[in-house]
Protein backbone atom coordinates (compact mmCIF):
# COMPACT_ATOMS: atom_id res chain seq x y z
CA UNK A 1 0.00 0.00 0.00
CA UNK A 2 1.12 3.53 -0.72
CA UNK A 3 2.32 5.65 2.19
CA UNK A 4 3.50 9.27 2.40
CA UNK A 5 7.00 7.96 1.59
CA UNK A 6 5.60 7.22 -1.89
CA UNK A 7 5.84 10.94 -2.74
CA UNK A 8 9.55 10.41 -3.43
CA UNK A 9 9.07 7.40 -5.75
CA UNK A 10 8.47 8.69 -9.26
CA UNK A 11 7.02 5.49 -10.70
CA UNK A 12 4.43 5.22 -7.91
CA UNK A 13 3.54 8.92 -8.24
CA UNK A 14 2.91 8.33 -11.96
CA UNK A 15 0.75 5.27 -11.26
CA UNK A 16 -1.39 7.00 -8.59
CA UNK A 17 -1.66 10.45 -10.20
CA UNK A 18 -4.95 9.57 -11.91
CA UNK A 19 -6.74 8.76 -8.66
CA UNK A 20 -4.91 10.78 -5.97
CA UNK A 21 -4.92 14.59 -5.98
CA UNK A 22 -1.74 14.88 -3.88
CA UNK A 23 0.12 12.51 -6.22
CA UNK A 24 -1.15 14.51 -9.23
CA UNK A 25 0.16 17.68 -7.60
CA UNK A 26 3.56 16.08 -7.00
CA UNK A 27 3.55 14.83 -10.59
CA UNK A 28 2.84 18.37 -11.83
CA UNK A 29 5.66 19.79 -9.69
CA UNK A 30 8.04 17.21 -11.19
CA UNK A 31 6.93 18.18 -14.72
CA UNK A 32 7.45 21.90 -14.13
CA UNK A 33 10.56 21.93 -11.92
CA UNK A 34 13.99 20.68 -12.87
CA UNK A 35 16.63 19.09 -10.70
CA UNK A 36 16.39 16.72 -7.75
CA UNK A 37 13.04 16.67 -5.92
CA UNK A 38 14.65 17.39 -2.53
CA UNK A 39 16.22 20.58 -3.90
CA UNK A 40 13.17 22.20 -5.50
CA UNK A 41 10.57 20.90 -3.00
CA UNK A 42 12.30 20.46 0.38
CA UNK A 43 9.09 20.72 2.42
CA UNK A 44 7.37 17.95 0.44
CA UNK A 45 10.53 15.86 0.61
CA UNK A 46 10.71 16.23 4.40
CA UNK A 47 7.01 15.44 4.74
CA UNK A 48 7.45 12.28 2.68
CA UNK A 49 10.36 11.21 4.86
CA UNK A 50 8.94 12.02 8.29
CA UNK A 51 5.13 11.82 8.27
CA UNK A 52 4.08 8.25 9.06
CA UNK A 53 0.46 8.11 7.88
CA UNK A 54 -1.87 9.72 5.37
CA UNK A 55 -4.09 10.83 8.25
CA UNK A 56 -1.22 12.79 9.85
CA UNK A 57 -0.27 14.27 6.48
CA UNK A 58 -3.87 15.32 5.79
CA UNK A 59 -4.29 16.84 9.26
CA UNK A 60 -1.02 18.77 8.94
CA UNK A 61 -1.83 20.05 5.45
CA UNK A 62 -5.22 21.28 6.67
CA UNK A 63 -3.57 23.09 9.59
CA UNK A 64 -1.03 24.59 7.20
CA UNK A 65 -3.79 25.77 4.84
CA UNK A 66 -5.65 27.35 7.73
CA UNK A 67 -2.55 29.10 9.08
CA UNK A 68 -1.03 30.19 5.80
CA UNK A 69 -4.22 31.07 3.86
CA UNK A 70 -7.37 31.36 5.94
CA UNK A 71 -5.91 33.27 8.91
CA UNK A 72 -4.17 35.83 6.73
CA UNK A 73 -5.80 39.22 6.48
CA UNK A 74 -5.85 40.29 2.84
CA UNK A 75 -4.99 43.90 2.11
CA UNK A 76 -5.92 45.68 -1.10
CA UNK A 77 -4.01 48.89 -1.69
CA UNK A 78 -4.24 51.21 -4.66
CA UNK A 79 -7.33 49.38 -5.89
CA UNK A 80 -8.44 50.58 -9.32
CA UNK A 81 -12.16 50.95 -9.72
CA UNK A 82 -13.56 50.47 -13.20
CA UNK A 83 -16.26 48.61 -15.12
CA UNK A 84 -15.92 45.42 -13.04
CA UNK A 85 -15.86 47.22 -9.67
CA UNK A 86 -17.43 50.63 -10.18
CA UNK A 87 -17.16 53.45 -7.66
CA UNK A 88 -20.83 53.96 -6.73
CA UNK A 89 -20.74 56.10 -3.60
CA UNK A 90 -20.25 59.74 -2.77
CA UNK A 91 -18.51 61.12 0.29
CA UNK A 92 -19.55 64.32 1.95
CA UNK A 93 -17.00 67.04 2.73
CA UNK A 94 -17.21 66.11 6.43
CA UNK A 95 -16.45 62.43 5.67
CA UNK A 96 -13.46 63.40 3.52
CA UNK A 97 -12.19 65.68 6.28
CA UNK A 98 -12.60 62.89 8.83
CA UNK A 99 -10.58 60.54 6.61
CA UNK A 100 -7.85 63.13 6.09
CA UNK A 101 -7.60 64.09 9.78
CA UNK A 102 -8.81 61.28 12.04
CA UNK A 103 -9.17 62.42 15.62
CA UNK A 104 -9.88 58.98 17.03
CA UNK A 105 -9.43 56.44 14.23
CA UNK A 106 -10.13 53.35 16.32
CA UNK A 107 -13.32 54.59 17.89
CA UNK A 108 -11.85 53.81 21.31
CA UNK A 109 -12.14 56.06 24.32
CA UNK A 110 -9.45 58.70 24.75
CA UNK A 111 -6.15 57.20 25.81
CA UNK A 112 -7.14 53.65 24.88
CA UNK A 113 -5.22 51.75 22.25
CA UNK A 114 -6.91 49.01 20.24
CA UNK A 115 -5.26 46.50 17.99
CA UNK A 116 -5.69 46.77 14.27
CA UNK A 117 -7.23 43.85 12.34
CA UNK A 118 -3.72 43.10 11.05
CA UNK A 119 -2.36 42.67 14.58
CA UNK A 120 -5.29 40.45 15.57
CA UNK A 121 -4.83 38.22 12.51
CA UNK A 122 -1.10 37.98 13.19
CA UNK A 123 -1.79 36.95 16.78
CA UNK A 124 -3.95 34.03 15.58
CA UNK A 125 -1.40 32.85 13.03
CA UNK A 126 1.34 30.39 14.06
CA UNK A 127 4.60 32.03 15.07
CA UNK A 128 7.19 29.37 14.24
CA UNK A 129 9.09 29.87 11.01
CA UNK A 130 9.32 26.15 10.25
CA UNK A 131 6.08 24.76 8.79
CA UNK A 132 7.06 21.19 9.68
CA UNK A 133 7.35 22.04 13.36
CA UNK A 134 4.31 24.34 13.35
CA UNK A 135 1.79 22.20 11.49
CA UNK A 136 3.09 18.64 11.67
CA UNK A 137 4.89 18.63 15.03
CA UNK A 138 8.13 17.26 13.54
CA UNK A 139 11.57 18.78 13.17
CA UNK A 140 13.91 18.82 10.22
CA UNK A 141 17.06 16.71 10.16
Amino acid sequence: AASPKSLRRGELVEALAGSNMLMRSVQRISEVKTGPFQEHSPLLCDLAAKVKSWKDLYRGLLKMYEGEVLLKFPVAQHFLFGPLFPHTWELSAAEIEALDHPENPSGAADGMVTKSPFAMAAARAPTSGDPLATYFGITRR
Side-chain angles (χ1 to χ4, degrees), residues 20-42:
N20 186 307
M21 189 166 62
L22 179 63
M23 294 296 189
R24 176 62 189 122
S25 299
V26 171
Q27 180 188 40
R28 177 72 179 140
I29 290 169
S30 297
E31 291 169 359
V32 174
K33 303 277 186 170
T34 58
F37 185 69
Q38 62 270 16
E39 286 183 14
H40 61 69
S41 301

Short mmCIF file of all heavy atoms in Angstrom, two decimals, residues 20-42:
data_model
loop_
_atom_site.label_atom_id
_atom_site.label_comp_id
_atom_site.label_asym_id
_atom_site.label_seq_id
_atom_site.Cartn_x
_atom_site.Cartn_y
_atom_site.Cartn_z
N ASN A 20 -5.29 10.14 -7.23
CA ASN A 20 -4.91 10.78 -5.97
C ASN A 20 -4.48 12.22 -6.26
O ASN A 20 -3.52 12.45 -6.99
CB ASN A 20 -3.76 9.98 -5.34
CG ASN A 20 -3.39 10.48 -3.97
OD1 ASN A 20 -3.12 11.67 -3.79
ND2 ASN A 20 -3.34 9.58 -3.02
N MET A 21 -5.19 13.18 -5.68
CA MET A 21 -4.92 14.59 -5.98
C MET A 21 -3.52 15.02 -5.52
O MET A 21 -2.84 15.78 -6.20
CB MET A 21 -5.98 15.48 -5.31
CG MET A 21 -5.88 16.92 -5.75
SD MET A 21 -7.29 17.95 -5.34
CE MET A 21 -7.32 17.90 -3.58
N LEU A 22 -3.07 14.53 -4.35
CA LEU A 22 -1.74 14.88 -3.88
C LEU A 22 -0.67 14.34 -4.84
O LEU A 22 0.27 15.05 -5.19
CB LEU A 22 -1.51 14.35 -2.47
CG LEU A 22 -0.14 14.64 -1.87
CD1 LEU A 22 0.09 16.14 -1.73
CD2 LEU A 22 0.02 13.95 -0.53
N MET A 23 -0.85 13.10 -5.29
CA MET A 23 0.12 12.51 -6.22
C MET A 23 0.10 13.27 -7.55
O MET A 23 1.15 13.48 -8.16
CB MET A 23 -0.18 11.03 -6.46
CG MET A 23 0.02 10.18 -5.25
SD MET A 23 1.75 10.17 -4.71
CE MET A 23 1.69 8.89 -3.49
N ARG A 24 -1.07 13.71 -7.99
CA ARG A 24 -1.15 14.51 -9.23
C ARG A 24 -0.42 15.83 -9.05
O ARG A 24 0.26 16.30 -9.95
CB ARG A 24 -2.61 14.74 -9.63
CG ARG A 24 -2.78 15.63 -10.83
CD ARG A 24 -2.13 15.04 -12.10
NE ARG A 24 -2.13 16.01 -13.16
CZ ARG A 24 -1.05 16.45 -13.80
NH1 ARG A 24 0.14 15.96 -13.51
NH2 ARG A 24 -1.13 17.34 -14.74
N SER A 25 -0.54 16.42 -7.87
CA SER A 25 0.16 17.68 -7.60
C SER A 25 1.68 17.48 -7.61
O SER A 25 2.41 18.28 -8.17
CB SER A 25 -0.27 18.26 -6.25
OG SER A 25 -1.64 18.53 -6.26
N VAL A 26 2.13 16.39 -7.00
CA VAL A 26 3.56 16.08 -7.00
C VAL A 26 4.04 15.80 -8.42
O VAL A 26 5.12 16.23 -8.83
CB VAL A 26 3.86 14.90 -6.05
CG1 VAL A 26 5.30 14.43 -6.20
CG2 VAL A 26 3.57 15.30 -4.61
N GLN A 27 3.21 15.10 -9.20
CA GLN A 27 3.55 14.83 -10.59
C GLN A 27 3.71 16.14 -11.36
O GLN A 27 4.65 16.32 -12.13
CB GLN A 27 2.47 13.95 -11.24
CG GLN A 27 2.75 13.63 -12.69
CD GLN A 27 1.57 12.92 -13.35
OE1 GLN A 27 0.42 13.28 -13.10
NE2 GLN A 27 1.87 11.92 -14.17
N ARG A 28 2.79 17.07 -11.15
CA ARG A 28 2.84 18.37 -11.83
C ARG A 28 4.09 19.15 -11.43
O ARG A 28 4.75 19.76 -12.28
CB ARG A 28 1.58 19.17 -11.51
CG ARG A 28 1.55 20.54 -12.10
CD ARG A 28 1.35 20.50 -13.61
NE ARG A 28 1.31 21.87 -14.10
CZ ARG A 28 1.86 22.27 -15.23
NH1 ARG A 28 2.46 21.40 -16.01
NH2 ARG A 28 1.80 23.51 -15.59
N ILE A 29 4.44 19.11 -10.15
CA ILE A 29 5.66 19.79 -9.69
C ILE A 29 6.87 19.19 -10.40
O ILE A 29 7.75 19.92 -10.86
CB ILE A 29 5.80 19.66 -8.16
CG1 ILE A 29 4.75 20.52 -7.47
CG2 ILE A 29 7.20 20.07 -7.70
CD1 ILE A 29 4.62 20.26 -5.98
N SER A 30 6.91 17.87 -10.52
CA SER A 30 8.04 17.21 -11.19
C SER A 30 8.10 17.56 -12.67
O SER A 30 9.19 17.61 -13.25
CB SER A 30 7.93 15.70 -11.02
OG SER A 30 8.02 15.37 -9.65
N GLU A 31 6.94 17.79 -13.30
CA GLU A 31 6.93 18.18 -14.72
C GLU A 31 7.43 19.60 -14.91
O GLU A 31 8.11 19.89 -15.90
CB GLU A 31 5.50 18.09 -15.27
CG GLU A 31 4.97 16.68 -15.39
CD GLU A 31 3.47 16.64 -15.68
OE1 GLU A 31 2.83 17.71 -15.78
OE2 GLU A 31 2.95 15.52 -15.81
N VAL A 32 7.13 20.48 -13.98
CA VAL A 32 7.45 21.90 -14.13
C VAL A 32 8.86 22.23 -13.63
O VAL A 32 9.57 23.03 -14.24
CB VAL A 32 6.40 22.76 -13.37
CG1 VAL A 32 6.77 24.22 -13.37
CG2 VAL A 32 5.03 22.57 -13.99
N LYS A 33 9.26 21.63 -12.53
CA LYS A 33 10.56 21.93 -11.92
C LYS A 33 11.64 21.01 -12.47
O LYS A 33 11.37 19.88 -12.87
CB LYS A 33 10.49 21.75 -10.39
CG LYS A 33 9.44 22.58 -9.71
CD LYS A 33 9.93 23.96 -9.46
CE LYS A 33 8.89 24.72 -8.64
NZ LYS A 33 9.37 25.96 -8.17
N THR A 34 12.87 21.50 -12.44
CA THR A 34 13.99 20.68 -12.87
C THR A 34 14.91 20.43 -11.69
O THR A 34 14.89 21.18 -10.71
CB THR A 34 14.79 21.37 -13.99
OG1 THR A 34 15.24 22.63 -13.52
CG2 THR A 34 13.92 21.56 -15.22
N GLY A 35 15.70 19.40 -11.78
CA GLY A 35 16.63 19.09 -10.70
C GLY A 35 16.05 18.07 -9.73
O GLY A 35 14.90 17.65 -9.86
N PRO A 36 16.85 17.70 -8.74
CA PRO A 36 16.39 16.72 -7.75
C PRO A 36 15.19 17.23 -6.95
O PRO A 36 15.12 18.42 -6.61
CB PRO A 36 17.60 16.53 -6.83
CG PRO A 36 18.77 17.02 -7.63
CD PRO A 36 18.25 18.08 -8.54
N PHE A 37 14.27 16.33 -6.65
CA PHE A 37 13.04 16.67 -5.92
C PHE A 37 13.34 17.34 -4.59
O PHE A 37 12.69 18.31 -4.21
CB PHE A 37 12.23 15.38 -5.71
CG PHE A 37 10.88 15.59 -5.09
CD1 PHE A 37 9.87 16.23 -5.79
CD2 PHE A 37 10.61 15.15 -3.80
CE1 PHE A 37 8.61 16.42 -5.23
CE2 PHE A 37 9.37 15.34 -3.24
CZ PHE A 37 8.37 15.97 -3.95
N GLN A 38 14.34 16.83 -3.85
CA GLN A 38 14.65 17.39 -2.53
C GLN A 38 15.20 18.81 -2.61
O GLN A 38 15.14 19.55 -1.63
CB GLN A 38 15.58 16.49 -1.73
CG GLN A 38 16.94 16.26 -2.33
CD GLN A 38 16.97 15.05 -3.25
OE1 GLN A 38 15.95 14.54 -3.67
NE2 GLN A 38 18.16 14.59 -3.58
N GLU A 39 15.71 19.22 -3.76
CA GLU A 39 16.22 20.58 -3.90
C GLU A 39 15.12 21.58 -4.23
O GLU A 39 15.10 22.68 -3.70
CB GLU A 39 17.32 20.63 -4.96
CG GLU A 39 18.62 20.02 -4.51
CD GLU A 39 19.71 20.13 -5.55
OE1 GLU A 39 19.56 20.92 -6.52
OE2 GLU A 39 20.72 19.42 -5.40
N HIS A 40 14.19 21.23 -5.12
CA HIS A 40 13.17 22.20 -5.50
C HIS A 40 11.91 22.11 -4.63
O HIS A 40 11.10 23.03 -4.63
CB HIS A 40 12.81 22.12 -6.98
CG HIS A 40 12.25 20.81 -7.45
ND1 HIS A 40 11.01 20.34 -7.08
CD2 HIS A 40 12.78 19.87 -8.28
CE1 HIS A 40 10.78 19.19 -7.66
NE2 HIS A 40 11.84 18.88 -8.39
N SER A 41 11.74 21.04 -3.87
CA SER A 41 10.57 20.90 -3.00
C SER A 41 10.98 20.31 -1.65
O SER A 41 10.56 19.20 -1.28
CB SER A 41 9.52 20.00 -3.66
OG SER A 41 9.12 20.54 -4.89
N PRO A 42 11.79 21.03 -0.87
CA PRO A 42 12.30 20.46 0.38
C PRO A 42 11.20 20.16 1.40
O PRO A 42 11.30 19.18 2.14
CB PRO A 42 13.28 21.51 0.90
CG PRO A 42 12.88 22.78 0.24
CD PRO A 42 12.29 22.39 -1.08
#
